[in-house]
Amino acid sequence: MSIGKIAQSLGVELSSSSREQIMEKERWLKLADAPFPYHDYKVNYDGNIYIAQQCIADRNALLFDQFQYEAEEAQVNTDTWCVGVWVKVRAIINGKEHSVRQYGVHTISKLRGDVKPVGDAMEQAIKSAVSDGMKKCSSWLGIAAHIYRGEVISIRANRNKEGQSQSKFYLQNLEKFGLSEYEYKYGIPVLPDSFKSFYEKMDWTDGIFYSDVFGYRDHQEDEHIPSEKMEKVQERSEAESPAFINDMQANYLRGLIYDFNENAQEADIVQAIIAYLVKRKVDVVQEAEEMGRRFTTVDALPSVHFTSVHRYFKQLRRARLESTEEKSA
């Protein structure tokens, strides 16, 4: 988002020095939040996207003039076997010092049937919690902020206690893209189409994007297209797009809800979608009926709303999970 455009829209006049400072900050943030190579995006046990600490540290080393961190004493919850630790990061960016403090968490691994962790599991969990805190601090300074905005999503494996995937969607996409189930054990990262241009310029050819998986395009990538061409692009896209979401998209939305409410019924999910779209002043029930469907099942959602609905539920899922982690810590 451009501060200059916001100021112009509000009728706020910026001085030349202010404009230069803002432009410098925006340039730095673009570098900090630039996409990573596809193989740097990972999916953890809970199906959430993350980037390894070393990859974040490498980006920090490139962009920060100086960087240091302090970790407070870790707190261990023996009821949930979860570690929490406050991490403080100090960084110098373009000659100015910034300080951020964030809470890192990690679950302590223990073997099935064991009452408590053994070996160095506690120490490893503390290290991971510190890494989590450092990555969160880095994101507040702009590094890989797109991860925490939910722009990169995952196709989760949804493994049972025996380690077998319960997701046909996941297995179908492993086969479709020729991926190793071992390498993508917990899920497949999916990137927004707005990353495509960057990947092409970097000569990176291994990305998997929204349009590759869900059959629709993220129109953020079209922002650079001249306005006279945009109408033709949108007309073609609307003509090619199906009226309603497909089964894979419907299952994806259901999965987001099941992650934090496994008892949710189809009617509950439909009502949640209706409530969200009502806030956006969209009468999706009437819209679906006008298109020949009754909006009583998730797959009757008009496809034009899929992007906003899936992002909303992604954010809601993250908020619910973070709330649960804070309570357990």
Side-chain angles (χ1 to χ4, degrees):
M1 182 181 294
S2 169
I3 298 297
K5 184 176 290 186
I6 293 175
Q8 184 179 10
S9 301
L10 294 173
V12 176
E13 187 173 345
L14 299 172
S15 65
S16 298
S17 59
S18 295
R19 282 198 299 269
E20 182 56 37
Q21 289 177 358
I22 290 171
M23 288 176 64
E24 181 180 349
K25 184 183 295 184
E26 289 178 346
R27 286 192 293 265
W28 193 91
L29 287 173
K30 283 184 178 180
L31 291 172
D33 197 29
F36 284 69
Y38 184 71
H39 56 75
D40 286 350
Y41 295 100
K42 307 294 183 183
V43 181
N44 66 14
Y45 179 83
D46 294 318
N48 296 319
I49 296 290
Y50 73 96
I51 297 177
Q53 173 59 34
Q54 187 57 54
C55 299
I56 298 294
D58 290 344
R59 180 70 62 88
N60 289 349
L62 283 173
L63 293 174
F64 295 136
D65 299 332
Q66 292 183 26
F67 179 84
Q68 64 182 59
Y69 75 93
E70 300 172 0
E72 299 178 9
E73 184 177 354
Q75 303 296 318
V76 180
N77 186 323
T78 55
D79 292 330
T80 59
W81 291 110
C82 180
V83 172
V85 59
W86 283 102
V87 177
K88 186 174 184 178
V89 163
R90 291 186 176 88
I92 296 179
I93 303 171
N94 294 333
K96 297 180 180 180
E97 182 173 328
H98 299 261
S99 178
V100 180
R101 184 171 179 260
Q102 282 291 305
Y103 194 67
V105 295
H106 194 79
T107 301
I108 306 171
S109 300
K110 61 186 183 72
L111 297 175
R112 188 182 303 169
D114 285 356
V115 177
K116 60 181 181 179
V118 296
D120 63 350
M122 182 79 73
E123 289 74 16
Q124 292 299 324
I126 293 174
K127 290 179 181 178
S128 295
V130 172
S131 293
D132 181 55
M134 288 176 62
K135 288 191 288 186
K136 287 177 179 176
C137 287
S138 296
S139 75
W140 277 67
L141 294 170
I143 304 294
H146 57 269
I147 292 293
Y148 294 89
R149 287 196 299 267
E151 293 180 18
V152 181
I153 63 177
S154 68
I155 302 172
R156 295 174 303 283
N158 294 333
R159 298 189 179 278
N160 58 21
K161 293 180 179 180
E162 287 70 39
Q164 298 174 330
S165 172
Q166 303 301 294
S167 171
K168 292 182 179 179
F169 189 33
Y170 163 77
L171 296 173
Q172 288 169 351
N173 279 281
L174 280 180
E175 182 177 359
K176 176 179 178 180
F177 297 108
L179 303 178
S180 162
E181 187 170 0
Y182 175 80
E183 186 176 358
Y184 296 90
K185 182 177 181 180
Y186 296 120
I188 304 168
V190 185
L191 311 177
D193 286 324
S194 55
F195 285 14
K196 277 188 174 182
S197 177
F198 180 82
Y199 264 57
E200 290 171 359
K201 292 175 181 177
M202 293 294 291
D203 293 324
W204 295 343
T205 60
D206 58 347
I208 296 175
F209 301 91
Y210 289 2
S211 55
D212 299 326
V213 175
F214 301 111
Y216 74 94
R217 300 177 69 227
D218 179 356
H219 291 297
Q220 292 181 42
E221 69 167 348
D222 294 326
E223 290 179 357
H224 65 282
I225 298 177
S227 58
E228 62 269 19
K229 294 183 179 180
M230 179 63 80
E231 292 182 7
K232 294 182 179 179
V233 171
Q234 290 177 337
E235 287 173 3
R236 184 173 67 249
S237 178
E238 289 171 2
E240 294 172 354
S241 299
F244 299 94
I245 64 174
N246 58 41
D247 289 341
M248 290 186 292
Q249 291 171 322
N251 287 334
Y252 176 72
L253 293 179
R254 293 182 182 108
L256 289 177
I257 294 294
Y258 293 152
D259 274 353
F260 61 82
N261 184 3
E262 61 183 16
N263 296 317
Q265 302 297 313
E266 186 81 355
D268 300 325
I269 301 173
V270 168
Q271 288 303 314
I273 294 174
I274 292 173
Y276 163 67
L277 290 175
V278 164
K279 292 180 181 178
R280 295 175 59 90
K281 303 187 184 305
V282 174
D283 187 344
V284 67
V285 174
Q286 180 178 346
E287 188 176 316
E289 287 181 352
E290 290 175 352
M291 297 168 66
R293 294 279 297 274
R294 292 187 60 197
F295 189 47
T296 55
T297 57
V298 178
D299 57 6
L301 174 69
S303 60
V304 69
H305 300 304
F306 177 74
T307 302
S308 64
V309 169
H310 108 257
R311 286 178 177 169
Y312 167 73
F313 282 132
K314 182 77 172 179
Q315 293 168 356
L316 181 63
R317 182 177 72 91
R318 184 186 303 110
R320 295 287 180 87
L321 292 176
E322 287 178 352
S323 175
T324 301
E325 289 175 351
E326 288 176 1
K327 290 178 181 179
S328 64

